[in-house]
Amino acid sequence: MSVKQITAFLENKAGRLLEVTEILSQNQVDLRAINIAETADYGLLRIIAKDSDKAEKVLKDAGVICTATPVIAVAVSDRPGGLNGMLKILAKENIDVNYMYSIFGHIGGLAYMILQVSDTENAKKVLIENGIGIAGAGDLGIN
Amino acid sequence: MEKYYQKDMECASREEMVALQNKRLVEQVKHVWENVPYYRKKMEEKGVTPEDIKGIEDLHKLPFLTKDDLREAYPYGLLAKPLEECVRIQSTSGTTGKRVVAFYTQHDVDLWEECCARAIVAAGGTKEDVCQVAYGYGLFTGGPGLNGGSHKVGCLTLPMSSGNTDRQLQFMTDLGATILCCTPSYAEYLAESIHERGLRDKIKLKAGIFGAEAWSEEMRRDIENQLGIKAYDIYGLTETSGPGVSFECSEQTGMHINEDHFIAEIIDPDTLKVLPEGSQGELVFTSITKEAFPLLRYRTKDITVLSREKCSCGRTLVKMHKPMGRSDDMLIVKGVNVFPSQIEAVLLENGYPANYQIIVDRVNHSDTIEVLVEMTPEIFSDSLGKITEMEKNLVAALKAMLGIYAKVRLVDPKSIARSEGKAVRVIDKRKI
């Protein structure tokens, strides 16, 4: 029940992000979520695509350095405190959240968060035990 | 079994070599005195006449020549033969200023090519070999020198010149090149291309002769591993002939100087005093066989050490260590001497690619040095923490090597221009 995320290396210079989105656009890659972590010199572009394998291939073919990482997509009820409640469960288990970002739009009244955590298997287990849904590829309309 | 191209010279006893050098030096000083007014004037200013030079022990009495002299005397001021006896010129790249032009008689070309032939034979070359010369042809001495040497050895010579990597790889595979001659940075680039195209099983290379650039021991091992060859260093400068002034043997512990043609000295670049054997200092050459362009005590700006330790290859020619760098390449950053080769060594040791660029600048009256390194799939990770940790380690390793802080900047792959000739490793914005 993990989702494949593609992370690409982007040097900080004008137009570099555009070059990468051009590649994705020309190859009809449909994005479900996108996030950028930045440093002074470069950024890491993280994407969840409808077709991750294709996204990875077209980027690599274009000479973009990228890597695939399994992440979990957590269904959070879309109300105040929803996210907070979910994070409490992880904190209680001493699971670190390395980074987190959200998926575009709502699906069935739920907001989906992409999480990369210190212990993926344990995170999934405790979240499910606490009644929080983990989305599979099908739930998110990706393959 | 070690093979030699000219065993009597390469393995001569020290006494024989000194006797030959004495004789040739005396003749050469006379030749220069009679034919080069520019140098004669320098000698007169120093109060030296040819009679004062009886052998190599008197060499220190002669005035030095520097690149500035060559520029000042451009184009004919140091020519020692009538132009009708000259058959060739070669020239430096001119990257550090006005070009320098060197002249050759046919005899000069022949001797130069023999020096290159010694290098090829020392790298295991025979007439059975196919020698791919991917140094630039033209004014640059790399191509013509190794081309001539390859002919003398009797190799099938592929006069590729530099660049056009597709064609290089096609000939390398189709014609089964066994020896590759080019700059180390181009060798690295070719190795990368061979790897990318899955051609490793289709190449027959056994040796490479790489020079004209500073390169580290780590880069040598990297090229050797990638191409499955033994990589030999070669040294030379246009001013004295070109590649082949010195060359490496199978021991790979320094380059044998062709002492029957060039007398080497090591001097202190500040006091200009000759230093005792084994000291590190600036290399100075006196060419004792050149007819058209004979330079006496030419300061190379290269910092190195000479060694007369017995070599397992059997050659008795003195060995010079790979230069620490040319003082032209040497950067002074925050008062500290920095050679690009030191930075390269640190990068390779830490698993980074050898393709890098150094940017030196002055910000708020203080020097800054920045090393641009290309990101590779091997180094890359989804974790910002891991990448910054690696960067920190690299900065620490550079600090340990250089003694000063150098900023590291990770850049996109292939964003640093690949070199097909001499690599542009340093951008010094302080000069712009």
Side-chain angles (χ1 to χ4, degrees):
Chain A
M1 293 256 277
S2 291
V3 177
K4 186 173 170 182
Q5 167 193 271
I6 307 301
T7 309
F9 176 84
L10 295 186
E11 188 184 334
N12 277 0
K13 59 184 174 192
R16 182 58 180 152
L17 178 60
L18 175 66
E19 282 169 24
V20 172
T21 55
E22 285 281 358
I23 296 162
L24 295 171
S25 147
Q26 276 162 16
N27 289 282
Q28 306 286 316
V29 174
D30 197 358
L31 297 178
R32 306 295 301 132
I34 185 162
N35 168 263
I36 292 182
E38 61 141 39
T39 71
D41 299 327
Y42 59 88
L44 299 188
L45 171 71
R46 298 188 173 110
I47 58 172
I48 305 289
K50 196 168 173 198
D51 185 343
S52 307
D53 294 336
K54 183 176 165 191
E56 186 177 9
K57 184 176 184 304
V58 298
L59 289 176
K60 279 193 174 157
D61 288 350
V64 177
I65 295 222
C66 53
T67 183
T69 313
V71 290
I72 48 179
V74 184
V76 182
S77 54
D78 192 9
R79 56 171 177 76
L83 176 65
N84 190 49
M86 186 266 287
L87 291 175
K88 264 188 190 158
I89 298 163
L90 296 177
K92 212 173 137 202
E93 286 292 317
N94 278 322
I95 295 168
D96 280 347
V97 177
N98 295 327
Y99 56 80
M100 177 177 79
Y101 54 100
S102 62
I103 286 199
F104 305 148
H106 293 220
I107 304 166
L110 293 166
Y112 281 87
M113 299 301 296
I114 296 293
L115 262 71
Q116 217 280 323
V117 296
S118 56
D119 184 346
T120 305
E121 287 316 306
N122 197 24
K124 282 189 213 166
K125 183 172 151 277
V126 297
L127 288 171
I128 291 166
E129 280 170 7
N130 284 277
I132 291 180
I134 305 289
D139 303 315
L140 304 174
I142 60 180
N143 45 44
Chain B
M1 246 290 273
E2 190 79 28
K3 289 200 169 60
Y4 314 98
Y5 182 67
Q6 289 167 319
K7 191 173 181 209
D8 54 337
M9 287 298 153
E10 294 174 58
C11 303
S13 72
R14 185 75 195 127
E15 294 70 35
E16 288 170 323
M17 185 56 75
V18 168
L20 183 67
Q21 286 185 333
N22 286 338
K23 179 172 164 282
R24 287 182 171 175
L25 175 66
V26 170
E27 286 166 8
Q28 187 71 299
V29 171
K30 198 161 165 278
H31 170 56
V32 171
W33 173 269
E34 283 164 7
N35 296 292
V36 185
Y38 186 95
Y39 196 79
R40 181 180 178 141
K41 189 165 161 263
K42 277 190 162 260
M43 283 176 69
E44 283 169 349
E45 280 166 9
K46 218 169 172 244
V48 191
T49 64
E51 290 68 46
D52 297 320
I53 310 300
K54 303 205 165 50
I56 58 172
E57 72 281 1
D58 296 321
L59 193 57
H60 68 96
K61 296 175 183 165
L62 290 168
F64 291 107
L65 279 173
T66 65
K67 204 163 205 159
D68 290 338
D69 288 308
L70 271 60
R71 286 178 182 142
E72 199 182 320
Y74 174 91
Y76 299 126
L78 289 161
L79 187 63
K81 280 278 182 185
L83 271 183
E84 62 262 31
E85 285 189 42
C86 296
V87 297
R88 174 92 68 81
I89 67 144
Q90 301 287 165
S91 178
T92 60
S93 53
T95 44
T96 53
K98 199 166 154 190
R99 279 180 182 278
V100 164
V101 175
F103 299 83
Y104 302 71
T105 62
Q106 185 56 51
H107 186 248
D108 290 335
V109 172
D110 286 339
L111 296 188
W112 173 28
E113 291 179 354
E114 283 174 15
C115 287
C116 291
R118 290 181 189 177
I120 293 171
V121 171
T126 68
K127 64 192 181 97
E128 315 284 323
D129 281 297
V130 178
C131 184
Q132 180 160 359
V133 182
Y135 280 112
Y137 278 61
L139 289 171
F140 175 51
T141 52
L146 270 305
N147 185 87
S150 175
H151 276 234
K152 294 256 192 248
V153 175
C155 302
L156 173 63
T157 310
L158 312 185
M160 302 301 299
S161 196
S162 58
N164 199 339
T165 300
D166 288 335
R167 196 173 61 192
Q168 298 279 359
L169 297 182
Q170 191 193 339
F171 278 73
M172 186 183 286
T173 50
D174 291 354
L175 298 176
T178 52
I179 299 176
L180 173 66
C181 306
C182 61
T183 57
S185 57
Y186 195 45
E188 187 97 328
Y189 179 57
L190 286 173
E192 203 175 288
S193 306
I194 287 165
H195 176 74
E196 273 172 16
R197 296 174 202 196
L199 295 173
R200 181 70 160 71
D201 296 337
K202 297 205 166 58
I203 59 166
K204 296 203 173 109
L205 291 177
K206 63 174 189 186
I209 301 175
F210 307 128
E213 272 175 7
W215 54 310
S216 61
E217 201 55 36
E218 289 75 13
M219 188 164 171
R220 183 214 298 269
R221 296 303 161 213
D222 192 44
I223 294 171
E224 288 187 329
N225 290 337
Q226 285 203 57
L227 292 175
I229 62 170
K230 192 154 176 168
Y232 297 83
D233 206 352
I234 186 167
Y235 172 91
L237 53 171
T238 310
E239 295 87 327
T240 58
S241 56
V245 169
S246 65
F247 61 96
E248 221 170 29
C249 62
S250 54
E251 209 183 85
Q252 296 180 315
T253 53
M255 294 172 280
H256 290 286
I257 296 172
N258 285 313
E259 290 182 278
D260 47 333
H261 301 300
F262 308 101
I263 302 175
E265 296 170 279
I266 294 288
I267 63 161
D268 179 326
D270 297 321
T271 65
L272 305 184
K273 294 269 179 265
V274 177
L275 296 173
E277 224 157 75
S279 315
Q280 180 176 297
E282 182 181 339
L283 185 60
V284 172
F285 278 119
T286 296
S287 39
I288 46 176
T289 50
K290 281 276 287 226
E291 294 178 337
F293 202 68
L295 299 188
L296 305 181
R297 301 197 87 196
Y298 180 66
R299 292 182 57 185
T300 63
K301 306 267 177 110
D302 281 332
I303 308 295
T304 187
V305 178
L306 299 183
S307 161
R308 290 210 175 271
E309 259 174 57
K310 193 170 158 48
C311 187
S312 63
C313 77
R315 286 179 186 79
T316 50
L317 300 169
V318 70
K319 277 198 288 198
M320 57 180 271
H321 284 206
K322 181 188 284 297
M324 287 281 296
R326 295 209 163 164
S327 55
D328 292 347
D329 292 341
M330 190 186 80
L331 295 159
I332 301 179
V333 183
K334 293 176 184 164
V336 174
N337 296 352
V338 173
F339 289 100
S341 55
Q342 294 174 300
I343 292 176
E344 183 181 306
V346 173
L347 290 176
L348 287 161
E349 262 169 35
N350 285 275
Y352 290 87
N355 210 40
Y356 63 93
Q357 201 159 50
I358 300 164
I359 298 178
V360 184
D361 205 349
R362 186 164 288 143
V363 180
N364 298 329
H365 309 292
S366 175
D367 290 342
T368 60
I369 180 164
E370 185 176 35
V371 182
L372 270 53
V373 191
E374 289 181 356
M375 181 51 98
T376 67
E378 291 73 33
I379 308 169
F380 189 53
S381 129
D382 173 52
S383 161
L384 214 47
K386 271 189 199 154
I387 302 174
T388 47
E389 186 65 28
M390 286 194 55
E391 276 186 277
K392 269 190 205 157
N393 292 341
L394 181 58
V395 167
L398 286 169
K399 176 107 199 257
M401 169 68 96
L402 307 175
I404 54 169
Y405 167 75
K407 177 178 161 43
V408 168
R409 176 145 60 99
L410 293 167
V411 298
D412 280 328
K414 312 258 178 201
S415 61
I416 298 173
R418 286 306 196 267
S419 102
E420 294 191 337
K422 286 202 181 199
V424 180
R425 292 290 186 217
V426 178
I427 297 175
D428 194 341
K429 294 184 173 174
R430 297 173 302 184
K431 289 175 188 162
I432 299 169

